[in-house]
Amino acid sequence: MACADPGQLTLDQKQLKISNLTLANTSEVDADASEIGIYLSTDNQISTSDYRLGTIAASARPANTSANFALEIDLDTLSNLADGDYILGLSMDQLNTVDESEEAENTCRFERTLSRIRDEKEDLIANLACFFPGDMAFDHPEI
């Protein structure tokens, strides 16, 4: 399973939204169902040991087809996320349920760094919403 397009990333108050995420089966054989993992990583290597934000169930894919997905994450539900800079990435077959010849195609990431900075007035609950004190910030103007 390949990450054909990581889609669009938006932050709206307390929601992180990914839309038009494209999962592609680029092989000549049908692929079993898989699970897409969404992660925050402190480096460019997206893996299942990173901070998992959520998952998307992907049904079996016929050969040479693709499917689009969307996901919304309530940022108020995050816990134990340390302050710091993160890369948002996707693992297209995080449980390794699909036999593949090229596992490196399984991950993709957004070309933007997300920063977690706590406001001194807020408690320890993770707050990653955009454009407010103690929120997630971007270091590039576009994705």
Side-chain angles (χ1 to χ4, degrees), residues 11-12 18 87 101 105 108 122 127 135:
L11 285 170
D12 180 18
I18 299 173
I87 302 293
S101 60
E105 294 178 350
C108 57
E122 72 177 302
N127 177 9
D135 300 324

Side-chain angles (χ1 to χ4, degrees), residues 26-122:
T26 57
S27 76
E28 299 297 322
V29 297
D30 295 349
D32 293 334
S34 63
E35 184 176 83
I36 301 168
I38 298 87
Y39 293 92
L40 289 176
S41 178
T42 56
D43 57 35
N44 290 335
Q45 302 301 312
I46 308 304
S47 73
T48 56
S49 64
D50 292 323
Y51 187 94
R52 188 173 72 191
L53 293 175
T55 60
I56 302 172
S59 60
R61 297 267 10 110
N64 295 305
T65 63
S66 62
N68 289 338
F69 297 90
L71 176 72
E72 291 186 15
I73 298 169
D74 181 355
L75 299 174
D76 283 335
T77 64
L78 302 183
S79 61
N80 302 320
L81 180 63
D83 289 357
D85 294 333
Y86 296 92
I87 302 293
L88 180 66
L90 308 160
S91 176
M92 305 311 277
D93 181 26
Q94 72 168 6
L95 302 176
N96 293 318
T97 57
V98 178
D99 290 330
E100 299 168 271
S101 60
E102 184 55 60
E103 293 287 340
E105 294 178 350
N106 278 355
T107 62
C108 57
R109 61 186 177 90
F110 288 92
E111 295 297 326
R112 185 176 273 192
T113 301
L114 309 175
S115 297
R116 168 70 170 90
I117 306 166
R118 279 196 191 122
D119 186 303
E120 292 177 11
K121 297 178 183 174
E122 72 177 302

